[in-house]
Amino acid sequence: MSKDFLALCDWSAEDLRAILARARTLKDLQRQGRRPRTLEGRTLAMYFEKPSLRTHVTFETAMTQLGGHALLLLPEQIGIGTRETPSDVARNLSRWVDAILARTFSHALVEEMAQVASIPVINGLTDLLHPCQAMADVQTVAERADLEKAVIAYVGDGNNVANSLLEAAAVLGLTLRLATPASHRPALRVRRRADACAAASGARLSWSEDPVEAVQGADFVYTDVWTSMGQEDEAAERRALFEHYQVNARLMKHAPQAFVLHCLPAHRGEEITDEVLDGPRSVVLDQAENRLHAQKAVLERVILGALPG
Ligand code: CP
Ligand code: NVA
């Protein structure tokens, strides 16, 4: 167990399952119009180096609904690395607020802040990982299928979203087939940790370059953008490289019963067609909704140190 929520491989299967169970409870309570105020008087500082709709809105809303407060800090206001060091920012915030949410380019930056902060640091996406997304993804899968049996296929770029999905599958013992170009497999350091977790959990992780092989008979087909935030200069090159990895009606013929997942935002017409993204098998808005519930459970877990009984 970690004080921080930076990488899913830092957490045990038992902890992640408890967070997911609490997320389900919080979603049910909200549907009944009940909102526990478990974070009354608590404050979350949110630092965003990159744009965000879902992560920003769901974390801020989660804090408000749980009785707490969230404040937004932008790079131009606080100047991490220019006005003062990451360490000084993290140590100051530790004296005032209860947790830090950070969306940064560099993964090393959130690790550095977490190391010196006395309060929990939550990874709201780095170039390497997007653990909060993967929690909502698993929650969405669990709403539609038996987690033990579900076959999840991820097609496209082995990016931050794929890396965290891989870690989630590895810790929780899921079946995940990845199809990416050989040059864009998930990061080696993530694969190594995931393989170690998978050996303990019994997760079935496989990789190929062939999207058809990956999606054949799958229960879920997941994709994400080919050009992530910060990679805009490579967009044309990436469009060519990933051309055969588009999730479209032709590919989905190999997985006719599969639900379609996407973390959003989508680059419509690139990694996924409108027809599939907006089609009857798409559960992308459930995924987006679950960000709110999964993150409430993560916030409770790291701020309170334990989930409410
Ligand atoms: N999926 C996701 O993290 O969305 P945002 O970039 O809008 O936060
Ligand atoms: N891989 C995408 C995810 C956005 C939520 C990016 O990093 O831009």
Side-chain angles (χ1 to χ4, degrees):
M1 189 201 96
S2 163
K3 109 179 139 56
D4 307 295
F5 203 78
L6 302 187
L8 296 181
C9 278
D10 296 339
W11 289 76
S12 69
E14 193 187 4
D15 278 321
L16 294 189
R17 284 200 195 98
I19 293 170
L20 288 163
R22 176 66 179 165
R24 246 190 335 267
T25 302
L26 287 165
K27 187 171 182 176
D28 290 344
L29 289 174
Q30 180 138 330
R31 294 262 153 102
Q32 296 160 20
R34 291 160 60 199
R35 287 187 180 159
R37 296 177 65 84
T38 47
L39 297 183
E40 187 105 57
R42 309 292 183 129
T43 301
L44 174 72
M46 303 185 298
Y47 173 66
F48 282 88
E49 286 181 354
K50 301 180 184 183
S52 170
L53 173 67
R54 281 146 289 272
T55 308
H56 176 186
V57 173
T58 51
F59 267 105
E60 185 159 343
T61 303
M63 286 303 292
T64 305
Q65 291 181 349
L66 293 173
H69 172 65
L71 59 99
L72 179 63
L73 303 173
L74 295 174
E76 59 269 30
Q77 294 169 330
I78 61 170
I80 293 185
T82 52
R83 191 165 180 267
E84 58 190 317
T85 64
S87 161
D88 283 344
V89 171
R91 287 184 299 159
N92 275 264
L93 287 172
S94 298
R95 297 293 180 107
W96 307 314
V97 304
D98 299 281
I100 300 169
L101 165 72
R103 168 169 287 196
T104 61
F105 289 92
S106 154
H107 189 73
L109 176 57
V110 291
E111 289 181 330
E112 184 183 348
M113 290 173 74
Q115 196 166 8
V116 295
S118 59
I119 54 175
V121 176
I122 302 171
N123 177 355
L125 179 148
T126 63
D127 285 348
L128 189 72
L129 294 171
H130 197 3
C132 296
Q133 178 68 52
M135 293 300 282
D137 299 340
V138 175
Q139 187 180 353
T140 309
V141 169
E143 287 172 347
R144 310 255 166 187
D146 181 345
L147 271 188
E148 306 280 309
K149 295 192 189 131
V151 175
I152 307 166
Y154 176 94
V155 176
D157 187 16
N159 59 16
N160 43 13
V161 167
N163 286 342
S164 282
L165 188 66
L166 182 62
E167 290 203 350
V171 177
L172 292 166
L174 314 185
T175 302
L176 176 65
R177 301 181 196 152
L178 294 149
T180 73
S183 54
H184 288 71
R185 291 184 69 178
L188 187 59
R189 66 182 270 199
V190 175
R191 279 177 3 231
R192 287 208 176 117
R193 276 193 94 186
D195 285 344
C197 290
S201 70
R204 292 152 302 276
L205 311 176
S206 61
W207 170 82
S208 84
E209 286 181 65
D210 181 359
V212 173
E213 187 184 322
V215 308
Q216 198 80 51
D219 301 301
F220 294 86
V221 174
Y222 197 148
T223 191
D224 182 24
V225 293
W226 296 337
T227 300
S228 285
M229 293 180 278
Q231 298 174 333
E232 289 77 8
D233 289 351
E234 301 168 20
E237 190 185 310
R238 284 172 166 274
R239 269 194 293 274
L241 179 69
F242 290 104
E243 193 186 352
H244 302 297
Y245 291 84
Q246 187 184 65
V247 174
N248 52 31
R250 192 157 25 96
L251 183 66
M252 292 307 295
K253 283 210 174 88
H254 300 278
Q257 303 305 319
F259 294 103
V260 174
L261 298 163
H262 193 306
C263 58
L264 303 175
H267 294 168
R268 289 168 174 266
E270 287 193 16
E271 78 279 0
I272 192 163
T273 58
D274 288 344
E275 186 185 7
V276 173
L277 190 66
D278 301 327
R281 308 300 293 172
S282 172
V283 291
V284 301
L285 292 176
D286 291 341
Q287 265 179 286
E289 179 185 343
N290 285 336
R291 296 290 304 276
L292 176 65
H293 309 296
Q295 286 160 194
K296 277 184 180 171
V298 168
L299 284 164
E300 287 182 340
R301 179 66 180 80
V302 299
I303 292 177
L304 302 175
L307 288 165

